[in-house]
Amino acid sequence: MTEQPDEHYFTADPSVPFTRERIEVEVWDERLRLDTGSGVFARGRLDVGTAVLFRETDPPTEVERVLDLGCGYGVIGLALARCLPDARVTAVDVNERALLLARENAAGLGVADRYAALLPDEVAPDATYDEIWSNPPIRIGKAALHELLLTWLPRLAPGGRAVLVVGRNLGADSLQRWLGEQGWPTERIASAKGFRVLEVRRG
């Protein structure tokens, strides 16, 4: 069967038959065995943007609360959970299938006690985070992306930061400018393979 286009990954309940596909990836010196699945972003692989994000950054330290925004099958938040043994990681996605895989992967990696994969509405309204990490769903459209970021960036604690990876040809540079115009100072900290890694700061 031909895999459905990635555009299906941000639907709440994908209609394609659910088949799992296991991958093994090494990120930040952590080897992760993860289940991916049909109807979820980057089935059977670590997508190029997320690979750039890991390769061009160091894992954070002394961080207690982290958000993985648009978590998919969970690789970013799970890598953070493994690198930050005392941190609590919240992973958010609208795709129920992605959340199921993320929870299963957390259990397989032994971090389920500090990792919560939730629908946006399930996150406590007063929850705040020291850092947000994301390969955001650019293909939902500019207006929806802007709304998404303006919903979650205000949850950064004072002095917190967000680290985003965005394709250059998908508007990374204009997004950087727009974030600055919205009062979120944003710096490009890396550029590789057609992707920008952006650091957004909360004052």
Side-chain angles (χ1 to χ4, degrees):
M1 176 182 292
T2 302
E3 183 177 5
Q4 296 297 309
D6 276 343
E7 279 74 8
H8 288 276
Y9 68 82
F10 49 78
T11 59
D13 184 16
S15 60
V16 294
F18 191 13
T19 57
R20 288 173 170 79
E21 187 172 344
R22 177 154 291 190
I23 63 170
E24 187 168 315
V25 296
E26 186 168 336
V27 297
W28 291 330
D29 298 324
E30 292 282 342
R31 186 166 292 278
L32 308 179
R33 290 173 59 86
L34 304 168
D35 280 342
T36 71
S38 50
V40 175
F41 178 64
R43 183 189 76 174
R45 60 191 170 91
L46 180 66
D47 67 282
V48 176
T50 301
V52 167
L53 177 67
F54 286 130
R55 190 168 57 249
E56 299 295 330
T57 62
D58 295 319
T61 59
E62 300 180 7
V63 171
E64 297 180 355
R65 300 157 300 166
V66 187
L67 174 69
D68 176 1
L69 180 59
C71 66
Y73 59 81
V75 61
I76 295 175
L78 293 168
L80 290 164
R82 288 289 292 267
C83 291
L84 296 165
D86 297 321
R88 301 196 70 83
V89 177
T90 301
V92 173
D93 207 294
V94 298
N95 184 321
E96 300 263 17
R97 194 175 291 180
L99 295 174
L100 173 65
L101 288 167
R103 293 180 193 118
E104 291 177 352
N105 287 329
L109 293 172
V111 299
D113 59 327
R114 333 181 259 106
Y115 179 95
L118 305 171
L119 293 167
D121 291 346
E122 295 175 329
V123 178
D126 59 348
T128 60
Y129 305 96
D130 302 309
E131 297 198 355
I132 296 172
W133 287 68
S134 183
N135 180 351
I138 299 297
R139 295 184 186 278
I140 62 176
K142 183 181 292 187
L145 176 67
H146 288 177
E147 181 181 0
L148 179 75
L149 293 174
L150 292 181
T151 296
W152 293 97
L153 287 175
R155 289 176 175 259
L156 282 171
R161 67 168 185 162
V163 183
L164 315 175
V165 61
V166 182
R168 179 178 56 79
N169 66 340
L170 294 176
D173 295 341
S174 61
L175 180 65
Q176 179 182 351
R177 289 192 298 271
W178 177 83
L179 284 165
E181 292 165 359
Q182 304 305 308
W184 295 96
T186 302
E187 178 185 357
R188 184 200 307 170
I189 60 174
S191 183
K193 295 187 179 296
F195 287 85
R196 311 292 203 206
V197 181
L198 305 178
E199 183 181 75
V200 188
R201 287 284 181 180
R202 173 157 200 166

